[in-house]
Amino acid sequence: MNTSVTARTTRTDARRVAKGSAGEGAARAGLTARGVIYLLVGVLALQIAFGDGKRQADRGGALAELADKPFGAALLWALGIGLGGMALWRLSEALFGSVGPDGRKAGKRLLSAVRCAFYTFVAYSVLSFAAGSGGGGSSDEQSKDVTARLLEVPAGQWFAGVVGAGIAVAGVWIAARALLRKYRDKLRLGQMSPRTRRLVDVTGMGGGVARGAVFAVAGGFAVRAAVDYEPDKAKGLDDTLRSFADTPLGPWLLVCVAAGLVLFGLFSFAMARWRRV
């Protein structure tokens, strides 16, 4: 009996710490770091749209851009640590549940676990780049390499196709939730003025739709690579963004998507300020 009580007490204490000031700080640092990356990628994509892009519009390009700024090394370390905070926050959600009435459901916890794994990888790549040991590789090459490896395993063509379809569906889901303003459920709207709420809606809807469009198109390319059994047809973030300029609308569609990614970066800053954690 005492052992059971002690275990419950330990879990309660761990949950309290995860949801306390330390957990909240990690979440807000992570959201801020995410905002910086999306903001930089959006700016790089805008430069490409206007014919002045010297770097790839992906995480590697964003890190290289940041490294060239004053105190760039310190900024990179801060960014990596912030993303590490994001991973820890998602881990706490996977273990103890997130905010909201259904935050402790298995589906929500699984999604948090997936996000934890993703941000752990991103944080590691940023910290590796800051330490001078790589981590800023091309997203396009990474996508092709991953697709090629998937195609080599048994039933890999089907698996790669399912993964690509999942990414595409996730993109549509992200865009739809943004249009429906589902993000409002997690914001402390009472602390915002009416004008601030309108501005947050502009960044949340515009940024979410652009982010969802990028996911959907990237997933479509992954499905095509699987169907054709040609890993080189898979595209990372940079090539996916550049593909928007190859449409009949030309570079103006890329301008819209790039501006949307900038908006999502600003929306992440708003989330860091007003999200319920």
Side-chain angles (χ1 to χ4, degrees):
M1 180 65 71
N2 290 338
T3 302
S4 177
V5 172
T6 301
R8 285 199 301 271
T9 302
T10 301
R11 286 196 298 270
T12 301
D13 291 343
R15 187 180 296 110
R16 187 179 297 114
V17 170
K19 294 187 176 182
S21 58
E24 182 174 344
R28 302 201 187 286
L31 290 166
T32 301
R34 184 185 73 175
V36 171
I37 289 181
Y38 271 98
L39 189 64
L40 288 173
V41 170
V43 170
L44 291 171
L46 283 172
Q47 292 175 352
I48 291 172
F50 290 114
D52 191 34
K54 298 181 178 63
R55 298 191 191 278
Q56 290 194 321
D58 57 12
R59 185 174 63 250
L63 296 180
E65 186 75 13
L66 198 60
D68 289 341
K69 305 301 180 186
F71 307 104
L75 292 173
L76 287 172
W77 281 105
L79 193 66
I81 293 171
L83 290 167
M86 175 76 94
L88 290 174
W89 170 43
R90 294 304 189 184
L91 176 61
S92 73
E93 288 188 331
L95 294 175
F96 308 117
S98 58
V99 297
D102 60 345
R104 300 185 69 180
K105 289 184 177 180
K108 290 283 187 178
R109 291 190 176 195
L110 178 60
L111 182 59
S112 292
V114 172
R115 287 169 169 167
C116 172
F118 172 74
Y119 282 108
T120 298
F121 168 76
V122 175
Y124 173 78
S125 68
V126 173
L127 291 172
S128 296
F129 187 90
S133 58
S138 165
S139 63
D140 302 319
E141 292 302 321
Q142 291 173 358
S143 296
K144 293 173 183 177
D145 289 344
V146 170
T147 304
R149 289 173 186 171
L150 286 177
L151 292 176
E152 290 175 356
V153 303
Q157 191 172 11
W158 285 99
F159 187 54
V162 169
V163 171
I167 294 172
V169 170
V172 174
W173 181 75
I174 289 170
R177 286 181 62 85
L179 288 173
L180 294 172
R181 299 190 297 183
K182 291 294 186 179
Y183 53 81
R184 280 190 161 210
D185 297 341
K186 298 179 181 178
L187 289 173
R188 296 192 290 234
L189 297 174
Q191 297 182 6
M192 302 180 191
S193 66
R195 181 183 180 186
T196 300
R197 284 197 293 269
R198 288 194 294 270
L199 290 174
V200 170
D201 279 338
V202 169
T203 60
M205 295 174 69
V209 169
R211 182 172 177 244
V214 172
F215 271 75
V217 173
F221 282 124
V223 171
R224 181 183 175 186
V227 171
D228 294 344
Y229 208 84
E230 294 183 31
D232 286 346
K233 289 186 177 181
K235 297 182 184 295
L237 179 56
D238 180 71
D239 274 352
T240 298
L241 286 170
R242 291 175 189 269
S243 71
F244 286 102
D246 297 331
T247 64
L249 294 177
W252 291 109
L253 181 57
L254 176 55
V255 169
C256 291
V257 174
L261 294 181
V262 171
L263 289 176
F264 189 78
L266 298 175
F267 175 69
S268 294
F269 297 151
M271 291 286 279
R273 171 65 177 82
W274 287 292
R275 195 190 194 283
R276 292 187 291 113
V277 177

